[in-house]
Amino acid sequence: MSGMGDGYVGSAQDAVRIRRLEKQREAERRKFQELKSKTASGQEQSGLLQFGTSSCEILDTAFKKETVGLVTREEYVEKRVNIRNKFEEEEKEKLQKLQQEEEELQQQKRSKKRKIKGTSRLSFAEDIENGSDDEDGENKSSEPMNLRCGKLGKDPSVETNFLPDSEREAEEQAERERLKKQWLREQEQIKNEPLEITYSYWDGTGHRRVIQVRKGDAIGNFLRSVQQQLAPDFREIRTTSVENLLYVKEDLIIPHQHSFYELIINKARGKSGPLFHFDVHEDVRTIADATIEKDESHAGKVVERHWYEKNKHIFPASRWEIYDPTKKWERVLFLALLLLASPLLQVARCQSDPDDHSSLVDDVVGENSDSGVEEDDQDLDVNLTSFPGVETVCVFPKNSAKLVPAGEDTELLVGLKNDGKSSIGVMGIRASVHLPYDHKLLVQNLTMLRFNNASIPTSLQASFSYIFAVSQYLQPGAFDLVGYIIYDVEGKPFQSVFYNGTIEVVESGGLLSGESVFLITLGIALLLLLGLWAYSQVQRLTKKTKKVSKVEVGTRSTDASLDEWLEGTPLAKTLSGKSKNKKN
């Protein structure tokens, strides 16, 4: 066959189809090259839009280029608005261009379909028509084909929606893309809406403020604005960083990467209320209904991380937890009966040891006063924090049950590991006993243990033995023990908590203590009284009484000696003699 290789075997229609496919491949190859060159030229051009970058990054980059050096507030706002408007115009132009291309593509498909329907009903007529110009000789030599056939059509009563239709699928895909872009624009508008937040800076007491941010802002951006607002009024806020600030809403600590938009969209809830309301309002109801959850919102708290680490065992910080989007918080009411006596009724006489602690404070302040640090900032009880890279561990070597006899020594091993870049010098260990329900109520300050030349180099660890004794007059029961190890790094004092938990204080002297003996004696006495009462009841029920019939004898006396008028007579002597004989 002419125009084909010697090894080709096939009909003329196959040859026409092969040539048509080769032309299509060549056209697609040229189109790909044009797109590739167009993309390369577009990357070289300077502009706001670049591939692979988000809108926020583009705006920030363009804004940085425009605001080099010092600018006034008016110029700053004007340039920001101009760049945003320019970016929105480019987005609109790009969207219009894409819509025009989609409309042209749809128009071409419709015109092509109408042309095919008008010319012929044969499925291979297009192949013959395209190859007729190139293969006129072959078409003339081929056998004439019968193009006449019966009329074919569709039955309008048959449902054909389940059949594949490329045009319908393209329209559906275009509609999905349009709806997706529309939804993204609406969400972007929601994120740009202003949001007024009522919060309270918490340092043990509340300082309520109101600030306005965008709904799309993250918690970190919100805390940065809060820091700028609180800096003139609070000295500790000026030197802290945003990473050391926490936002607590409804007893949940919200991480910095979450945004207000996420909390609002997901309708997130906390322990005591919703996380998507940022004002303050109460739930006022005329009729109480337990099936409907309360709709009340509380002011969120902004706290320093150092304050939280130091007071997380005290209410309200003891209730705070990290926010987890996968965890659902439900409000549950718990009703309980108090079966234990109130700890306020326990009487304990304790002795504090403030001299050791005050001397250690004076030593630390004196060492650092030479380096220019003011003494007001060196309060160990308030402002000392832990040094990064220092880890502590605590073990009761001889008492795994953590039973502390009152008035006797108890040993505690404190381990300290230095993962920092500088060596640390251990200065002392101190501890205190508190009531379990409120750490503000101090029961006893324990002995201060001081060290002179205790140094731990980097990447090493050491252990220290701490022996303490609680007061012998302390009432047995559960108490909280808080232990601190104080050290200095490069001349600055720090402290870390090595133990913060519950201990059980018991009486010394073994099992037979005064209280146990009293209770045992009282129990035995109660058992004896109960036994006596039961014995008397049994005796009363089982006792048998004899019934004696009473016989009336009148006024006659059976003893003649009782008749005074017969005294001295022979009859009286005879009767008295008979009675004596009967008795014998």
Side-chain angles (χ1 to χ4, degrees):
M1 182 176 293
S2 63
M4 302 301 295
D6 296 336
Y8 174 76
V9 178
S11 61
Q13 296 178 359
D14 294 335
V16 172
R17 185 177 294 105
I18 290 172
R19 288 187 176 86
R20 183 176 58 84
L21 292 176
E22 289 179 353
K23 290 181 180 180
Q24 290 180 357
R25 292 192 189 98
E26 186 65 26
E28 291 177 356
R29 191 178 296 108
R30 287 196 301 269
K31 186 177 180 180
F32 175 74
Q33 292 294 337
E34 292 176 359
L35 291 175
K36 186 175 180 181
S37 61
K38 185 178 179 180
T39 304
S41 63
Q43 291 180 353
E44 296 176 357
Q45 296 177 359
S46 61
L48 290 177
L49 297 179
Q50 294 181 6
F51 180 75
T53 57
S54 62
S55 59
C56 295
E57 293 177 354
I58 295 170
L59 288 175
D60 291 339
T61 303
F63 185 68
K64 289 177 181 178
K65 292 180 180 179
E66 292 292 336
T67 56
V68 177
L70 297 176
V71 293
T72 61
R73 175 182 176 84
E74 292 76 10
E75 293 176 352
Y76 181 90
V77 175
E78 183 180 359
K79 289 180 180 181
R80 186 75 178 182
V81 173
N82 293 336
I83 291 173
R84 185 178 294 277
N85 294 336
K86 187 177 179 180
F87 176 74
E88 292 177 354
E89 289 176 0
E90 290 185 3
E91 287 287 343
K92 290 180 181 178
E93 291 177 359
K94 186 178 179 181
L95 183 60
Q96 292 176 359
K97 187 176 180 180
L98 291 175
Q99 291 178 355
Q100 290 177 0
E101 292 179 356
E102 291 178 358
E103 291 177 358
E104 291 176 0
L105 182 60
Q106 296 295 333
Q107 188 67 22
Q108 291 177 2
K109 288 183 178 180
R110 295 193 191 96
S111 61
K112 186 176 180 181
K113 189 174 181 180
R114 283 196 296 269
K115 183 178 179 181
I116 294 173
K117 289 183 178 180
T119 55
S120 175
R121 293 179 180 271
L122 297 178
S123 61
F124 52 86
E126 183 181 0
D127 298 338
I128 298 173
E129 183 179 355
N130 292 335
S132 60
D133 298 336
D134 299 333
E135 299 292 336
D136 292 337
E138 295 179 1
N139 290 336
K140 291 179 180 179
S141 62
S142 61
E143 296 180 358
M145 293 179 293
N146 186 13
L147 299 178
R148 299 181 61 186
C149 61
K151 294 183 178 180
L152 299 177
K154 295 181 179 180
D155 186 358
S157 62
V158 177
E159 185 69 26
T160 60
N161 292 334
F162 63 91
L163 296 175
D165 189 350
S166 59
E167 184 178 355
R168 185 182 62 211
E169 292 176 358
E171 292 177 356
E172 291 178 355
Q173 185 65 25
E175 184 67 17
R176 290 193 190 98
E177 292 295 331
R178 187 186 66 80
L179 294 176
K180 180 180 178 181
K181 293 177 182 178
Q182 181 181 355
W183 183 82
L184 291 176
R185 287 195 300 269
E186 292 177 354
Q187 299 307 311
E188 193 66 26
Q189 292 176 359
I190 294 174
K191 290 181 180 179
N192 291 327
E193 291 178 358
L195 178 64
E196 189 176 81
I197 299 177
T198 302
Y199 71 94
S200 175
Y201 172 61
W202 188 264
D203 56 355
T205 57
H207 309 279
R208 185 166 294 186
R209 299 287 191 276
V210 178
I211 194 171
Q212 188 172 2
V213 297
R214 296 189 311 118
K215 289 185 178 180
D217 288 345
I219 302 298
N221 298 335
F222 160 71
L223 292 176
R224 185 175 290 105
S225 302
V226 168
Q227 183 187 20
Q228 296 174 359
Q229 187 181 32
L230 296 177
D233 299 331
F234 300 94
R235 185 181 61 178
E236 62 273 13
I237 296 296
R238 302 174 195 168
T239 57
T240 189
S241 61
V242 178
E243 289 75 14
N244 290 328
L245 293 178
L246 302 177
Y247 179 60
V248 184
K249 177 68 174 171
E250 307 300 343
D251 293 333
L252 293 181
I253 302 174
I254 312 298
H256 290 195
Q257 68 270 17
H258 293 284
S259 63
F260 297 105
Y261 171 79
E262 296 177 10
L263 301 177
I264 295 172
I265 292 297
N266 297 327
K267 300 293 184 181
R269 300 198 66 87
K271 289 184 176 181
S272 56
L275 298 177
F276 50 88
H277 289 323
F278 302 97
D279 56 348
V280 179
H281 62 270
E282 299 291 338
D283 185 18
V284 181
R285 302 186 184 184
T286 56
I287 301 176
D289 189 357
T291 60
I292 302 176
E293 193 167 10
K294 288 186 177 181
D295 183 17
E296 58 183 4
S297 178
H298 310 91
K301 295 181 176 63
V302 176
V303 299
E304 286 188 282
R305 189 183 299 273
H306 161 62
W307 185 93
Y308 170 70
E309 292 294 338
K310 186 176 181 180
N311 299 278
K312 61 184 179 181
H313 57 276
I314 303 175
F315 182 84
S318 59
R319 286 176 46 86
W320 298 348
E321 296 183 18
I322 303 296
Y323 168 67
D324 185 4
T326 60
K327 189 174 183 180
K328 303 297 181 183
W329 294 98
E330 297 179 357
R331 311 193 68 180
V332 182
L333 297 179
F334 296 94
L335 298 178
L337 295 177
L338 297 177
L339 301 179
L340 300 176
S342 173
L344 292 175
L345 300 179
Q346 299 180 359
V347 179
R349 291 179 294 173
C350 306
Q351 295 178 356
S352 61
D353 189 9
D355 298 334
D356 293 339
H357 180 251
S358 61
S359 62
L360 182 59
V361 173
D362 295 337
D363 293 344
V364 174
V365 173
E367 291 177 1
N368 293 280
S369 60
D370 299 335
S371 60
V373 181
E374 296 182 0
E375 296 183 1
D376 295 339
D377 297 333
Q378 299 296 331
D379 188 359
L380 291 180
D381 290 333
V382 178
N383 293 327
L384 284 189
T385 59
S386 60
F387 188 75
V390 176
E391 298 180 1
T392 59
V393 68
C394 175
V395 177
F396 287 84
K398 300 179 182 179
N399 187 6
S400 60
K402 301 178 182 179
L403 298 177
V404 178
E408 296 183 2
D409 292 341
T410 302
E411 185 179 5
L412 193 65
L413 286 181
V414 181
L416 188 65
K417 184 178 180 181
N418 183 13
D419 290 336
K421 298 181 180 179
S422 303
S423 61
I424 62 177
V426 181
M427 304 181 64
I429 298 176
R430 66 183 179 91
S432 57
V433 180
H434 304 260
L435 289 180
Y437 64 91
D438 191 354
H439 275 234
K440 292 182 180 179
L441 299 179
L442 178 65
V443 177
Q444 181 182 1
N445 275 328
L446 301 178
T447 305
M448 170 70 69
L449 179 63
R450 304 181 63 179
F451 302 97
N452 294 326
N453 296 319
S455 174
I456 303 177
T458 58
S459 303
L460 294 178
Q461 57 185 358
S463 61
F464 304 92
S465 177
Y466 177 62
I467 299 176
F468 66 94
V470 299
S471 175
Q472 60 180 346
Y473 302 107
L474 192 61
Q475 180 75 15
F479 294 90
D480 285 350
L481 176 66
V482 182
Y484 300 90
I485 182 168
I486 304 172
Y487 52 91
D488 68 296
V489 180
E490 297 178 354
K492 295 182 180 180
F494 297 92
Q495 72 176 4
S496 297
V497 179
F498 63 83
Y499 186 80
N500 185 7
T502 304
I503 59 173
E504 187 73 20
V505 178
V506 296
E507 288 188 357
S508 59
L511 297 176
L512 295 177
S513 59
E515 184 177 357
S516 60
V517 171
F518 171 75
L519 293 176
I520 292 172
T521 305
L522 180 62
I524 294 174
L526 291 176
L527 290 176
L528 290 175
L529 290 176
L530 182 63
L532 292 175
W533 177 81
Y535 178 77
S536 63
Q537 293 295 324
V538 172
Q539 288 293 104
R540 186 176 63 83
L541 295 175
T542 57
K543 184 178 180 180
K544 295 181 180 180
T545 57
K546 295 181 179 181
K547 296 181 179 180
V548 180
S549 58
K550 296 180 180 181
V551 179
E552 294 183 359
V553 294
T555 59
R556 184 178 62 86
S557 176
T558 58
D559 191 359
S561 61
L562 299 178
D563 297 333
E564 295 179 358
W565 60 282
L566 293 177
E567 290 181 359
T569 61
L571 181 59
K573 294 179 180 180
T574 303
L575 292 175
S576 62
K578 289 181 179 181
S579 59
K580 290 179 180 180
N581 292 332
K582 288 181 179 180
K583 291 180 180 179
N584 295 328

